[in-house]
């Protein structure tokens, strides 16, 4: 079993966050070695992404979910920083606008799905609608038909809708990689204090961070249920320890690289009759003054 396998949830096992590490201690890894492996993974991701873009047969959607201060933004920058920006788009989803709330909850994400050959990375996603919406019971404020707002079935129906949506994507030549950065309460506290004590990081702190932190157990329950209800073989979740950014970045790079290897993109082949003309083209170019 690889290091990544133990953090992969494909429907064959249940997530219990209380039994899952948030750092590298249990895995007994060497930081310097992990940093070297991460760099090699970045190079391999770049090479495969170039083929993915050239081939244009499959699209890759990477969904990144996490609590505040888990390191989503820095993970995106470090893991995807070396790829060709022409083939990657990043979208951040915050509180829905009036326009977004006037549509179904998948709408704002669907319009940002990648073209085949491209990678889209969602910093938060449609999963907010079974996480924060569940914890705060926001559906009670939704302007929807009463038949849609049954408290006992609302979230369960959304789990079913998400499973069906991701199956639809897979059947239409997309891959979906879902990553939850699993940060501990102690580490989140340290990072919040750093944001409050360092003026250059004040902008990262939100007044909502503290009341959201007070709902830690409720979010634990929501994350566990979400992963357990939406993990499938085709669209797995990776619950990554996030207390040490160098380790979480490595595991995220492993998950992305593993998916690209499964896609196995290839550069398009040039027809033989066209390739046979290449010596002529080369000769003409070299003959130019």
């Amino acid at each position: 079993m690889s290091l990544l396998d133990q953090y992969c949830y494909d429907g064959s096992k249940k997530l219990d966050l209380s039994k899952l590490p948030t750092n590298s201690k249990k895995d007994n890894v060497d930081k310097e070695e992990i940093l070297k492996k991460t760099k090699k993974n970045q190079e391999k991701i770049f090479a495969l992404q170039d083929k993915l873009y050239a081939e244009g047969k499959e699209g890759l959607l990477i969904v990144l979910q996490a609590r505040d201060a888990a390191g989503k933004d820095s993970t995106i920058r470090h893991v995807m920083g070396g790829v060709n920006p022409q083939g990657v788009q990043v979208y951040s989803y915050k509180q829905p606008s009036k326009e977004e709330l006037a549509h179904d909850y998948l709408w704002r994400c669907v319009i940002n799905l990648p073209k085949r050959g491209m990678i889209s990375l969602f910093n938060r996603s449609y999963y907010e609608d079974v996480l924060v919406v569940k914890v705060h019971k926001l559906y009670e404020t939704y302007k929807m038909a009463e038949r849609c707002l049954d408290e006992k079935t609302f979230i369960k129906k959304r789990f079913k809708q998400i499973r069906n949506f991701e199956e639809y994507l897979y059947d239409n030549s997309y891959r979906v990689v879902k990553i939850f950065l699993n940060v501990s309460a102690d580490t989140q506290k340290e990072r919040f204090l750093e944001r409050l004590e360092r003026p250059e990081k004040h902008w990262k702190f939100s007044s909502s961070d503290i009341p959201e932190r007070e709902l830690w157990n409720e979010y634990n329950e929501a994350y566990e249920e979400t992963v357990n209800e939406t993990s499938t073989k085709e669209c797995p979740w990776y619950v990554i320890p996030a207390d040490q950014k160098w380790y979480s970045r490595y595991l995220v790079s492993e998950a992305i690289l593993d998916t690209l290897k499964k896609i196995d993109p290839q550069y398009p082949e040039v027809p033989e009759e066209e390739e046979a003309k290449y010596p002529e083209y080369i000769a003409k170019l070299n003959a130019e003054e």
Side-chain angles (χ1 to χ4, degrees):
M1 178 184 290
S2 70
L3 288 174
L4 182 65
D5 288 340
Q6 62 184 316
Y7 300 111
C8 178
Y9 290 80
D10 61 1
S12 62
K13 59 184 178 182
K14 294 294 183 180
L15 172 64
D16 182 346
L17 287 174
S18 67
K19 297 180 180 179
L20 209 59
T22 58
N23 58 48
S24 66
K25 292 180 181 178
K26 176 177 171 291
D27 294 338
N28 192 30
V29 295
D30 178 73
K31 181 178 179 179
E32 292 305 315
E33 186 65 26
I34 290 296
L35 291 174
K36 291 178 183 177
K37 288 183 177 180
T38 302
K39 185 175 181 180
K40 289 182 180 179
N41 282 354
Q42 289 173 314
E43 294 170 354
K44 293 176 182 177
I45 288 171
F46 172 79
L48 288 170
Q49 182 244 341
D50 194 56
K51 291 181 178 180
L52 181 80
Y53 182 78
E55 187 178 50
K57 287 174 62 176
E58 290 204 56
L60 175 59
L61 173 61
I62 303 169
V63 172
L64 192 60
Q65 293 287 155
R67 291 183 170 93
D68 294 314
K72 296 188 303 300
D73 292 338
S74 63
T75 296
I76 294 170
R77 288 196 305 271
H78 283 80
V79 176
M80 304 302 291
V83 300
N84 182 353
Q86 189 176 12
V88 179
Q89 294 173 308
V90 178
Y91 300 95
S92 296
Y93 294 97
K94 301 185 183 298
Q95 184 175 342
S97 65
K98 288 184 179 180
E99 172 70 10
E100 290 167 340
L101 286 171
H103 291 81
D104 66 277
Y105 70 98
L106 290 173
W107 177 79
R108 66 174 182 163
C109 294
V110 168
I111 60 176
N112 293 326
L113 287 173
K115 297 178 182 178
R116 295 188 188 94
M118 301 279 288
I119 298 174
S120 282
L121 202 156
F122 289 176
N123 184 345
R124 303 190 188 276
S125 67
Y126 46 88
Y127 276 102
E128 293 295 287
D129 283 83
V130 289
L131 293 167
V132 64
V133 168
K134 176 187 177 181
V135 171
H136 290 279
K137 296 185 177 181
L138 296 180
Y139 51 82
E140 294 178 349
T141 67
Y142 285 179
K143 191 175 181 180
M144 297 173 65
E146 289 298 323
R147 61 182 170 81
C148 303
L149 298 174
D150 185 344
E151 182 178 3
K152 295 180 179 179
T153 61
F154 185 85
I155 297 298
K156 289 183 179 180
K157 285 183 178 179
R158 293 212 161 177
F159 287 142
K160 180 182 71 173
Q161 292 157 7
I162 289 172
R163 289 195 301 269
N164 290 341
F165 172 62
E166 292 177 347
E167 181 182 8
Y168 166 83
L169 290 179
Y170 184 81
D171 289 344
N172 280 274
S173 206
Y174 287 88
R175 304 273 181 156
V176 184
V177 177
K178 301 174 292 189
I179 295 166
F180 169 47
L181 297 179
N182 182 28
V183 69
S184 68
D186 288 343
T187 298
Q188 187 193 62
K189 177 182 176 180
E190 291 174 6
R191 293 176 183 173
F192 279 171
L193 287 171
E194 183 182 26
R195 291 178 179 183
L196 289 165
E197 293 168 354
R198 294 177 60 180
E200 70 273 19
K201 292 196 173 187
H202 284 176
W203 66 274
K204 287 188 174 184
F205 188 80
S206 170
S207 59
S208 65
D209 288 342
I210 300 303
E212 285 294 282
R213 178 177 166 81
E214 292 171 354
L215 296 170
W216 190 273
N217 292 334
E218 288 82 352
Y219 273 106
N220 260 8
E221 180 184 336
Y223 276 114
E224 287 178 352
E225 185 178 19
T226 294
V227 170
N228 290 332
E229 289 288 339
T230 61
S231 293
T232 65
K233 182 179 180 181
E234 293 77 16
C235 304
W237 272 100
Y238 295 91
V239 183
I240 304 297
D243 284 357
Q244 299 158 302
K245 292 183 179 181
W246 57 269
Y247 194 48
S248 60
R249 291 166 187 168
Y250 166 69
L251 290 172
V252 170
S253 73
E254 282 279 283
I256 295 172
L257 178 59
D258 181 66
T259 303
L260 286 170
K261 286 180 177 178
K262 289 176 181 176
I263 295 174
D264 191 26
Q266 302 296 322
Y267 289 119
E269 293 185 5
V270 178
E272 289 184 8
E273 58 272 19
E274 182 63 25
E275 190 172 3
K277 299 176 183 178
Y278 282 10
E280 177 186 347
Y281 298 152
I282 293 171
K284 286 184 177 181
L285 289 168
N286 286 329
E288 290 180 358
E289 294 182 359

